[in-house]
Amino acid sequence: MKVSRLAQCGNWFLDRFPLTKLWNEHMAHYYAPKNFNFFYFFGSLALLVLVIQIITGILLTMNYKPDAKLAFDSVEYIMRDVNWGWLVRYMHSTGASAFFIVIYLHMFRGLLYGSFKHPRELIWIFGMLLFVALMAEAFMGYLLPWGQMSYWGAQVIISLFSAIPVIGDDLSLWLRGDYVVSDATLNRFFAFHVIAVPLALVLLVFLHIVALHEVGSNNPDGIDIKKNKDANGIPLDGVPFHPYYTVKDIVGVAVFLLFFSTVIFYMPEMGGYFLEHANFIPADPMKTPEHIAPVWYFTPFYAILRAIPDKFAGVIAMGGAIVVLFLLPWLDRSPVKSIRYRGGIYKKALALFVVSFLVLGYLGTQPATPTATTFARIFTAVYFGFFLLMPIYTRWEKTKPLPERLTEQPSLEDHIPALIGIFEEITVKEPIKTQNGTILLSRRPNSAGLLNVIIRLAKKLKESLD
């Protein structure tokens, strides 16, 4: 049988590059736990958003001018005159916020199921380095539109480095490239945003995935599936990542793109949280905005900074809020990984931590009034208490026994009858007579049924936390 030219080229390539081996090791023959749930979409979604950001970033640089006199106008040119330029710009700006939403949920999944615990400490460290690099990338890119909030936000954040003893002033001067935020700063940040930090991000993503596939994926039960294998060495509770999870991830991608597109086409500014109103005004070094605040994904750490009265101590606290995340694998002393088998103390602590993070995020967007500062200090204490007290309360709490094999949790289809029953309970049918005399049955809220459902939900929540 004669081999086609295309097959010959393919064989020539495969003889010289281990593509088949890579595919088998990381996709077809990589066995993942069979009980992945909703929270396991966010890893692949983070990779998708990274690709979107790289592609749209390349397209934007084709028309962007990294010049203090031209930068703002070049962004306006992209929005108004470049074919589909508005779409590319909105995809990039929305993608920045989407990236942090996905990453924060990905990190929350790690806290839920103990994905940072042995033997996945290195995976967590690489992930946290990715998070820091992503924050640097977002900060550098935030200056590039050269709007009012970009300019003054960079001025405030860079000035914080001057609080560091001995090297602070020189470090701030090096970051700016000048004594004030100027054209030199813009060029410096452009180089970091377009070349240096993306290279670091891609390298860290590679290391993160390689480390993950070396020790295997965690799961909602926190059980190592490699302990139970068949005669061929295949985990009994594992399934090949391809095609099972590649196909499943397509569903997650489709749902994500639905929301992503809705924001891009209908609400790209998201009420001033994704694109601030002040950033549609050219940067003016002589006019300070009334209220300077970073983008929403930095606001929890900004609130911690403002909660501390001393500038240097505030910088230390803000940095410590990130550094403490690196120490998480060694702070948690619980013998189990997943929240399903932890005691009520950790569940309550995690709930308080999530509340503190959300409240700090909101306070970071508001002016620093005395009341807001008081609340920021309270929730800053809660934030650090979750981590610093972890070695104590994770030892104290009573955990549940781990099963030998992965457990099967109810799927969405299993919950549908119960959801229909709840809908029937919280609504009541009411006949309505139309203009032509026909009778239609309409539903209205049933206050008694709604109260019963809330009471049952509160009882179940209390039981889950006990």
Side-chain angles (χ1 to χ4, degrees), residues 5 26 34 97 110 129 237 263 328 376 453:
R5 291 281 185 182
H26 298 285
K34 63 183 180 182
S97 290
L129 289 172
D237 292 320
V263 174
L328 196 55
V453 170

Side-chain angles (χ1 to χ4, degrees), residues 23-182:
W23 174 262
N24 287 334
E25 287 183 356
H26 298 285
M27 298 292 285
H29 294 168
Y30 172 67
Y31 286 86
K34 63 183 180 182
N35 64 338
F36 279 176
N37 59 16
F38 164 80
F39 283 106
Y40 286 83
F41 280 122
F42 297 111
S44 58
L45 290 180
L47 190 59
L48 170 68
V49 180
L50 176 62
V51 172
I52 290 174
Q53 292 302 91
I54 291 174
I55 294 174
T56 55
I58 292 171
L59 295 174
L60 287 172
T61 56
M62 293 178 181
N63 293 283
Y64 176 77
K65 303 288 185 183
D67 185 299
K69 296 180 179 179
L70 303 173
F72 185 85
D73 291 336
S74 69
V75 174
E76 292 299 304
Y77 171 74
I78 291 170
M79 292 291 293
R80 299 172 187 272
D81 296 330
V82 175
N83 289 334
W84 302 104
W86 63 271
L87 178 61
V88 176
R89 196 273 175 104
Y90 282 154
M91 287 179 68
H92 200 71
S93 62
T94 304
S97 290
F99 213 157
F100 277 93
I101 291 172
V102 168
I103 289 296
Y104 281 138
L105 290 171
H106 192 54
M107 293 168 66
F108 176 66
R109 195 276 313 280
L111 294 175
L112 273 181
Y113 301 131
S115 300
F116 51 85
K117 291 175 69 68
H118 176 80
R120 299 177 179 86
E121 301 94 336
L122 191 59
I123 301 172
W124 180 260
I125 297 298
F126 284 140
M128 284 308 306
L129 289 172
L130 261 170
F131 178 60
V132 173
L134 182 61
M135 295 179 77
E137 176 76 351
F139 172 59
M140 303 291 180
Y142 188 61
L143 179 66
L144 302 187
W146 206 245
Q148 270 289 73
M149 198 59 73
S150 295
Y151 180 89
W152 288 100
Q155 187 80 288
V156 169
I157 299 300
I158 294 175
S159 68
L160 296 176
F161 291 95
S162 64
I164 301 174
V166 183
I167 65 169
D169 291 333
D170 291 334
L171 180 60
S172 298
L173 181 61
W174 179 80
L175 285 171
R176 283 191 300 261
D178 202 342
Y179 292 99
V180 294
V181 174
S182 63

Side-chain angles (χ1 to χ4, degrees), residues 237-383:
D237 292 320
V239 292
F241 192 85
H242 176 79
Y244 291 96
Y245 286 120
T246 50
V247 173
K248 184 179 180 180
D249 284 345
I250 292 173
V251 178
V253 167
V255 175
F256 169 80
L257 290 178
L258 179 65
F259 287 102
F260 189 67
S261 302
T262 301
V263 174
I264 290 172
F265 290 112
Y266 294 101
M267 51 187 87
E269 299 172 18
M270 194 56 82
Y273 286 100
F274 287 10
L275 288 172
E276 293 90 343
H277 305 307
N279 237 22
F280 290 92
I281 302 172
D284 185 354
M286 305 302 293
K287 185 178 180 181
T288 309
E290 183 179 353
H291 174 53
I292 301 174
V295 199
W296 70 267
Y297 36 78
F298 292 145
T299 52
F301 308 104
Y302 185 61
I304 292 173
L305 167 73
R306 294 193 310 184
I308 311 298
D310 181 71
K311 183 178 180 181
F312 177 63
V315 172
I316 293 297
M318 182 178 67
I322 299 172
V323 171
V324 74
L325 287 164
F326 283 86
L327 305 178
L328 196 55
W330 297 276
L331 294 175
D332 188 353
R333 303 301 177 85
S334 176
V336 299
K337 296 184 178 74
S338 175
I339 197 170
R340 292 178 178 176
Y341 306 103
R342 288 180 182 262
I345 300 177
Y346 182 82
K347 293 176 182 179
K348 293 181 178 72
L350 182 59
L352 286 173
F353 169 75
V354 172
V355 170
S356 70
F357 190 80
L358 294 175
V359 173
L360 286 170
Y362 171 74
L363 293 174
T365 65
Q366 304 302 307
T369 61
T371 303
T373 302
T374 301
F375 276 106
R377 289 171 181 170
I378 293 171
F379 286 103
T380 297
V382 174
Y383 179 97

